[in-house]
Amino acid sequence: MSDLALVPASAWALATGGPWPEPEGLSGDAHFMALALQEGLKGVGLASPNPPVGCVLVRGGQVLGAGVHTRAGDPHGEIMALRDAEARGEDPRGSTAYVTLEPCCHQGRTGPCTQALLQAGVARVVVGVRDPNPRVDGGGLAILRAQGLDVEEGVLGDACSRFHAPFFKLIRTGLPWVSLKLAMGSDGSLGPVGQTTSVTPPEVQRLAHALRRASEAIVVGRHTIEVDNPQLTDRWPAPTAPHRSFARVVMDEQGQVPPTARIWGPVAGQPAYRAVTGEPMPLRGVEDLRLPPAGHGCSLRHLLHELAALGAGRVLIEGGGTLVRAFLEQGLADEFHRFQSDQPAGGPPLDLPLNPAWTRRATASWPGGRWEVWR
């Protein structure tokens, strides 16, 4: 387990599955794969449903070009790295390509990256992890080897597997990666029932927005809207690409949240949705996700399928406690981000049935509390 100081860099690392290997502390292939991972981080929250593959081209210990995939339908990381090398006036012939994920070998919305690497004269390819997509799954490596390239697999394999875990889940199950987030007091409480409670200071709340930037959708329960009246926007300070879409979703099965709620206000690139089971009165500018009922609400599994259809590969469940608990009980969560204050919140303790296979992977501390990642 890693323990970090909570600053913007560590917040982004924890929000994307890290902490990640530091290139400065590594040598050889591991050093350059760590650089490729740093490139890949630039595509998180932008590339879904595709993986944010990072790539660097190296010859003689010098980086010739670097790139990342940032939008489905646009060039992949390998192509972007080749274009970067060209823009720098560098010839990639004889270079080594370090790629976080196996290069694709099929014709999709873009051409196969294996062919692009071969045409560019790359001599060696180092891959972090194999692509489980049935259209690839070792085929890219086989093509490169058959053409005489030196291919190595598994460099920083654990880190690359963790980085691409959301894409792997989407490919294997059709469901997006689900992150849970709650801010809790030392007493295990979210605060007094029915009251807005600031468990963490404003500077920590701002850093927690890294979780929203790393996701393509955020989901909250109706009671969170009624108590806090949030807007649920992505306010991470770094600018983002114009094509990014961030869906704001309220579990409002019977359409009880009033049209005056702040969540329904239009925000460019951040559409609002209601998850409903009945036929509530329509809200102007708000699309309904009609889901089958389940228990006292709607089917959360169907909700995840709907969000995947909207292009969300990562989904953040940000409250309240009842909704987070439901995702845990149904085994639909992949990780839990707990913001734990050293001070009590003053409400009833919340018993959360965490996956017994999870461990506390990392923490980042601030004066008065810590951000814990369970996965």
Side-chain angles (χ1 to χ4, degrees), residues 250 252-253 255 264 272-283 285-291 306 310:
V250 180
D252 188 22
E253 290 85 352
W264 307 137
Y273 296 86
R274 288 190 306 183
V276 301
T277 57
E279 295 286 341
M281 289 291 293
L283 286 177
V286 177
E287 184 175 340
D288 286 342
L289 303 176
R290 300 192 181 279
L291 306 173
E306 289 287 339
L310 292 174

Side-chain angles (χ1 to χ4, degrees), residues 17 20 24 56 61 63 79 82 92 127 135 142 166 221 257 272 300 304 320 351:
W20 304 110
E24 293 74 15
V56 295
V63 174
I79 309 299
L82 290 169
V127 171
R135 302 180 72 183
V257 175
L300 298 181
L304 294 178
D351 181 27

Side-chain angles (χ1 to χ4, degrees), residues 220-234:
V220 300
R222 173 172 60 85
H223 292 294
T224 295
I225 300 297
E226 292 174 341
V227 173
D228 297 335
N229 195 23
Q231 199 175 18
L232 296 181
T233 51
D234 168 14

Side-chain angles (χ1 to χ4, degrees), residues 135-212:
R135 302 180 72 183
V136 186
D137 197 14
L141 302 179
I143 288 173
L144 295 172
R145 288 188 174 112
Q147 294 299 315
L149 271 68
D150 180 11
V151 176
E152 185 164 352
E153 181 183 358
V155 173
L156 294 188
D158 289 344
C160 290
S161 295
R162 186 164 20 100
F163 178 63
H164 289 299
F167 171 67
F168 294 170
K169 181 187 178 185
L170 190 63
I171 283 292
R172 290 166 173 154
T173 69
L175 296 173
W177 184 264
V178 176
S179 301
L180 310 177
K181 180 239 173 182
L182 285 177
M184 310 177 73
S186 59
D187 52 2
S189 165
L190 305 181
V193 177
Q195 295 184 26
T196 299
T197 305
S198 294
V199 176
T200 55
E203 59 271 20
V204 173
Q205 295 171 21
R206 286 192 290 270
L207 291 173
H209 273 264
L211 284 165
R212 295 187 185 181

Side-chain angles (χ1 to χ4, degrees), residues 24-36:
E24 293 74 15
L26 300 170
S27 61
D29 288 342
H31 171 79
F32 293 112
M33 186 60 73
L35 290 178

Side-chain angles (χ1 to χ4, degrees), residues 74-98:
D74 282 0
H76 294 180
E78 298 93 323
I79 309 299
M80 297 301 291
L82 290 169
R83 290 184 178 181
D84 184 46
E86 181 181 6
R88 300 187 195 191
E90 300 285 0
D91 185 347
R93 284 180 294 183
S95 67
T96 296
Y98 293 87

